[in-house]
Amino acid sequence: MSFLLDSSIMVTSQVLFFGFGWLFFMRKLFKDYEVRQYVVQVIFSVTFAFSCTMFELIIFEILGVLNSSSRYFHWKLNLCVILLILVFMVPFYIGYFIVSNIRLLHRQKLLFACVLWLTFMYFFWKLGDPFPILSPKHGILSIEQLISRVGVIGVTLMALLSGFGAVNCPYTYMSYFLRNVTDADILALERRLLQTMDMIVSKKKRIAVAHRTMFQRGEVHNKPTGFWGMIKSVTTSVAGSENLSLIQQEVDALEELSRQLFLETADLHATKERIEYSKTFQGKYFNFLGYFFSIYCVWKIFMATINIVFDRVGKTDPVTRGIEITVNYLGIQFDVKFWSQHISFILVGIIIITSIRGLLITLTKFFYAISSSKSSNVIVLLLAQIMGMYFVSSVLLIRMSMPLEYRTIITEVLGELQFNFYHRWFDVIFLVSALSSILFLYLAHKQAPEKHMA
Amino acid sequence: AGVGKSSLVHLLCHNQVLGNPSWTVGCSVDVRIHDYKEGTPEEKTYYIELWDVGGSVGSATSVKSTRAVFYNSLNGIILVHDLTNKKSSQNLYRWSLEALNRDVAPTGVLVTNGDYDREQFADNQIPLLVIGTKLDQIPETKRSEVLTRTAFLAEDFNAEEINLDCTNPRYLAAGSSNAVKLSRFFDKVIEKRYFLRDGNQIPGFSERKRFGGGALKSLHYD
């Protein structure tokens, strides 16, 4: 009886998450496009719903809600479904939509989609070989095999995103890095842009006139055709066509210049807005946060380096350590078990919420930047895939932040994975990503003021 | 974004189909030579500059402010939308407001027909033309409902409308109704630009070969 009750609770929450994913898809991602294939929307929402359910199960684990055996059952079920979606359905549909975009292969869409899917499976499998993640006694299609590979990809993604975010966040928040932009600069640049456009226009007018006169004179093509045509063109209309191609080249160069100027102007406008924003109260608040975050990020990078150098993987989680420290050094006595449960719940909850929110925001920005009406379906599915893998691996890594008694269920369900390996891998990639983004931002920052001086 | 503005401009200016359309960054210009009042004794030839302003209506404010520099001295506006994508036609209202430098409608919310205020366009002197692209990608069965919808749209703007496919120059062939509408539109623009006060002709023009420059900013939207 209690099992039924638990299941109904789970199902309701899943439906809720599904609805949320659906709304997010419609309101945010596909704001400017029409949804023609509802399959895409359904898949995205389903992936989102099942990922959130996993987090919900963790929270339930900590809080002790629901029967422990029914929790275990739902874990297994959830995991199977998610793996099914991530490894079978989404890649297949990605292949299908890519193929339907290419007009040549329209007839045998299904066939080619299957071919693409098989290629994906092959590479997916090969991915597991160089990593020491499995003991060989498990079968081919067991959950552990699939999860380990999904975990590797997901952890890499997480580490890349965290590394970049850790560096980018203070850079954006702190106004120390803002270049000084005055209105006069913007006006000057805009004037240059308009001047360039005018030059382009005048050159194009000349080309248009030349084309028209040639057309009226009866020469439709100014490209020589045939052997005699070439000889004739050498002697007669040399001056005309050469002139034209010269002008055309100038026009191309000017157009390139105009594009650059446009981008620079947009950049200047954005910087000016940020300067104005930083003078407001909200801006000052975020500036302060930025200093705070930068210290935190530096500390994280430092810790990652230490972990790698000294080959150490933390055994205890921050909550228990925090409590130990307070109890031992500060002499405050309180009920460890009671508080550890609540504090870890809050901590884990915060981590989950911020990572979901951060991921959704990043995905949305990414989607706006690169999608067009043709490829929007493919990109959304790719995003769903990334999101699923990201969430699965956060479950793996979250295990680290939880006290021992709550880790059991994750260890039970996910089988004998080498968790330490994942943490090590995360640290490595995080370090690499953070360092390279520091380098990248440094270069971008240095390059920008030089451009304006020119 | 991605409605086919660059293809359209290329078709209008060169009477040829654009082979490899790519993403437009910023603004690109092209020039069309137009015969004003073709076929009558008052025929004159003019340049028309078509400015193809790219981007989407939901862009960041910085991009919008940069775009605003192109909206000065407009003589006419061509609004381009994608027939296969309903949302692009809904965005046209916001685009027209942006171009006419009125305050932009609330962002983040789809502007539906209810929000649109016809009054704002009543005193608008600038000639408008609405063009729907990708006509070939709509199956025959849906065509009539799409066309009625766009007819309402054009009526809202008090503009003419043309629906075509930018990969097929047949739609703008000489003598077709589309070509006539286009020609009439450009004529209106030229009239507004040059014959604004008292209907005076500009003095001193010799016959056919004299070219005037009319800056028609054709703003293309998603």
Side-chain angles (χ1 to χ4, degrees):
Chain A
M1 190 54 218
S2 68
F3 181 70
L4 278 178
L5 184 66
D6 296 342
S7 309
S8 56
I9 296 182
M10 292 304 298
V11 168
T12 342
S13 53
Q14 268 170 356
V15 167
L16 268 172
F17 287 132
F18 181 82
F20 186 75
W22 186 273
L23 275 176
F24 173 75
F25 185 89
M26 269 204 332
R27 286 290 164 80
K28 285 261 167 166
L29 280 186
F30 257 44
K31 211 165 46 151
D32 287 329
Y33 301 106
E34 206 176 309
V35 183
R36 256 164 291 152
Q37 311 267 18
Y38 277 102
V39 176
V40 175
Q41 197 168 359
V42 167
I43 292 185
F44 183 84
S45 314
V46 164
T47 321
F48 184 75
F50 277 103
S51 320
C52 287
T53 326
M54 275 202 303
F55 286 126
E56 190 192 16
L57 281 170
I58 294 185
I59 300 274
F60 282 172
E61 184 70 28
I62 296 182
L63 288 183
V65 178
L66 300 188
N67 211 345
S68 124
S69 57
S70 58
R71 273 201 306 251
Y72 183 72
F73 170 75
H74 277 286
W75 260 112
K76 280 272 181 200
L77 176 68
N78 220 1
L79 218 53
C80 287
V81 171
I82 277 225
L83 285 177
L84 203 73
I85 295 181
L86 281 183
V87 176
F88 294 108
M89 279 187 64
V90 178
F92 177 74
Y93 271 109
I94 291 182
Y96 181 75
F97 281 114
I98 290 183
V99 166
S100 46
N101 265 343
I102 308 176
R103 289 197 183 176
L104 294 172
L105 308 170
H106 240 262
R107 302 281 175 76
Q108 295 140 319
K109 269 196 275 202
L110 276 174
L111 181 66
F112 277 104
C114 286
V115 166
L116 272 175
W117 182 73
L118 286 170
T119 338
F120 166 78
M121 283 305 287
Y122 176 72
F123 280 114
F124 187 69
W125 213 255
K126 278 284 172 205
L127 194 63
D129 288 345
F131 295 109
I133 35 183
L134 288 184
S135 36
K137 58 183 175 169
H138 286 121
I140 283 278
L141 216 56
S142 63
I143 287 194
E144 283 83 13
Q145 294 264 3
L146 293 176
I147 285 219
S148 56
R149 285 174 170 78
V150 169
V152 168
I153 302 180
V155 166
T156 320
L157 271 170
M158 272 187 81
L160 280 173
L161 278 178
S162 313
F164 181 69
V167 174
N168 194 33
C169 175
Y171 181 71
T172 353
Y173 280 167
M174 287 174 25
S175 51
Y176 175 73
F177 293 113
L178 285 183
R179 298 185 298 275
N180 212 3
V181 171
T182 62
D183 277 338
D185 294 334
I186 296 187
L187 276 180
L189 208 61
E190 282 179 354
R191 220 168 343 142
R192 267 182 74 189
L193 181 59
L194 285 178
Q195 271 174 353
T196 320
M197 301 304 286
D198 285 332
M199 278 161 60
I200 296 181
V201 168
S202 59
K203 290 206 168 16
K204 286 212 166 165
K205 282 181 186 169
R206 281 166 64 187
I207 297 182
V209 168
H211 272 157
R212 198 175 209 208
T213 42
M214 281 204 294
F215 184 70
Q216 286 171 341
R217 261 195 262 143
E219 309 165 20
V220 180
H221 302 285
N222 55 351
K223 273 192 283 227
T225 50
F227 189 60
W228 288 117
M230 274 202 292
I231 305 261
K232 200 164 70 150
S233 71
V234 166
T235 51
T236 50
S237 47
V238 166
S241 51
E242 255 191 29
N243 230 356
L244 267 191
S245 58
L246 202 63
I247 303 184
Q248 186 63 42
Q249 276 176 358
E250 289 175 16
V251 165
D252 290 335
L254 281 176
E255 282 187 330
E256 187 59 44
L257 179 64
S258 75
R259 279 192 278 265
Q260 296 263 21
L261 286 175
F262 181 83
L263 288 175
E264 272 184 44
T265 321
D267 210 24
L268 280 192
H269 274 286
T271 320
K272 178 162 162 240
E273 260 173 53
R274 275 177 57 195
I275 293 182
E276 277 174 23
Y277 180 73
S278 74
K279 299 201 179 110
T280 66
F281 193 60
Q282 242 188 347
K284 291 209 171 85
Y285 171 69
F286 276 117
N287 192 26
F288 176 70
L289 273 189
Y291 282 111
F292 202 58
F293 269 131
S294 53
I295 299 181
Y296 173 68
C297 296
V298 168
W299 182 75
K300 268 195 94 163
I301 296 182
F302 186 61
M303 288 306 292
T305 330
I306 292 210
N307 279 342
I308 296 177
V309 168
F310 290 118
D311 200 23
R312 176 189 85 117
V313 180
K315 293 287 177 197
T316 54
D317 58 294
V319 177
T320 328
R321 265 190 72 86
I323 294 183
E324 270 175 22
I325 294 178
T326 40
V327 166
N328 290 340
Y329 293 116
L330 300 182
I332 303 178
Q333 298 287 340
F334 53 87
D335 187 359
V336 178
K337 275 200 72 159
F338 176 73
W339 281 108
S340 79
Q341 185 190 29
H342 281 78
I343 295 183
S344 51
F345 162 66
I346 294 179
L347 187 70
V348 168
I350 292 182
I351 295 181
I352 290 177
I353 292 185
T354 41
S355 70
I356 293 184
R357 181 178 168 275
L359 182 75
L360 286 182
I361 290 183
T362 319
L363 288 186
T364 324
K365 267 198 267 187
F366 195 64
F367 183 74
Y368 282 161
I370 65 174
S371 80
S372 70
S373 53
K374 268 185 118 185
S375 58
S376 54
N377 286 333
V378 172
I379 294 188
V380 164
L381 285 176
L382 272 175
L383 292 184
Q385 174 93 352
I386 292 179
M387 177 174 70
M389 291 191 172
Y390 186 90
F391 285 153
V392 166
S393 42
S394 353
V395 167
L396 276 180
L397 292 180
I398 247 182
R399 184 182 156 275
M400 186 63 178
S401 317
M402 301 191 337
L404 270 174
E405 55 262 29
Y406 306 124
R407 289 188 195 175
T408 48
I409 192 163
I410 300 190
T411 331
E412 255 181 67
V413 168
L414 295 184
E416 294 173 24
L417 288 183
Q418 304 271 26
F419 289 105
N420 294 340
F421 164 74
Y422 286 108
H423 290 291
R424 171 58 41 76
W425 183 247
F426 180 88
D427 283 331
V428 170
I429 301 278
F430 177 79
L431 201 63
V432 167
S433 154
L435 288 178
S436 45
S437 24
I438 289 183
L439 188 68
F440 174 72
L441 282 177
Y442 176 74
L443 285 176
H445 189 71
K446 272 293 177 223
Q447 203 192 38
E450 281 166 6
K451 266 199 292 193
H452 293 305
M453 296 313 161
Chain B
V3 290
K5 303 185 281 285
S6 309
S7 313
L8 176 69
V9 170
H10 200 261
L11 186 63
L12 285 180
C13 296
H14 301 271
N15 280 328
Q16 276 173 352
V17 177
L18 184 60
N20 52 337
S22 61
W23 202 259
T24 317
V25 176
C27 169
S28 81
V29 196
D30 221 340
V31 171
R32 175 186 161 100
I33 299 188
H34 177 70
D35 294 316
Y36 174 59
K37 289 211 165 124
E38 193 165 4
T40 68
E42 300 148 350
E43 180 171 345
K44 281 190 181 48
T45 323
Y46 283 91
Y47 290 119
I48 297 201
E49 301 165 18
L50 294 168
W51 294 56
D52 163 11
V53 177
S56 88
V57 70
S59 302
T61 330
S62 59
V63 180
K64 284 198 184 148
S65 333
T66 325
R67 277 207 297 255
V69 79
F70 296 124
Y71 297 156
N72 300 324
S73 68
L74 288 179
N75 300 116
I77 302 182
I78 301 185
L79 296 168
V80 184
H81 66 108
D82 184 351
L83 288 170
T84 58
N85 183 356
K86 255 187 267 186
K87 300 207 181 148
S88 77
S89 40
Q90 283 166 339
N91 281 335
L92 284 185
Y93 298 107
R94 288 160 68 185
W95 275 112
S96 50
L97 291 174
E98 183 180 325
L100 297 171
N101 278 335
R102 318 281 165 98
D103 229 35
V104 186
T107 56
V109 176
L110 287 177
V111 177
T112 62
N113 283 337
D115 279 341
Y116 170 63
D117 179 15
R118 205 180 274 230
E119 291 302 312
Q120 287 182 322
F121 284 90
D123 58 347
N124 177 35
Q125 299 285 353
I126 304 185
L128 283 172
L129 176 67
V130 174
I131 296 191
T133 54
K134 305 196 188 166
L135 184 62
D136 55 321
Q137 288 182 20
I138 302 192
E140 284 293 339
T141 47
K142 288 209 179 155
R143 228 166 248 214
S144 55
E145 81 169 72
V146 169
L147 290 178
T148 29
R149 178 168 52 86
T150 52
F152 277 129
L153 189 73
E155 224 181 273
D156 273 342
F157 285 112
N158 197 21
E160 287 285 343
E161 91 162 315
I162 296 182
N163 292 317
L164 47 67
D165 162 23
C166 296
T167 60
N168 192 346
R170 171 171 68 87
Y171 282 95
L172 288 177
S176 67
S177 66
N178 285 339
V180 169
K181 283 187 204 167
L182 199 64
S183 201
R184 263 214 309 257
F185 173 70
F186 285 134
D187 285 349
K188 241 195 312 184
V189 169
I190 295 178
E191 274 169 14
K192 286 247 21 249
R193 167 77 172 83
Y194 281 109
F195 307 140
L196 196 42
R197 295 169 258 284
D198 318 313
N200 271 345
Q201 300 269 354
I202 301 204
F205 268 5
S206 60
E207 295 326 309
R208 272 179 114 267
K209 290 295 178 187
R210 182 64 187 260
F211 292 120
L216 170 138
K217 308 279 171 105
S218 95
L219 301 173
H220 305 246
Y221 308 105
D222 59 348

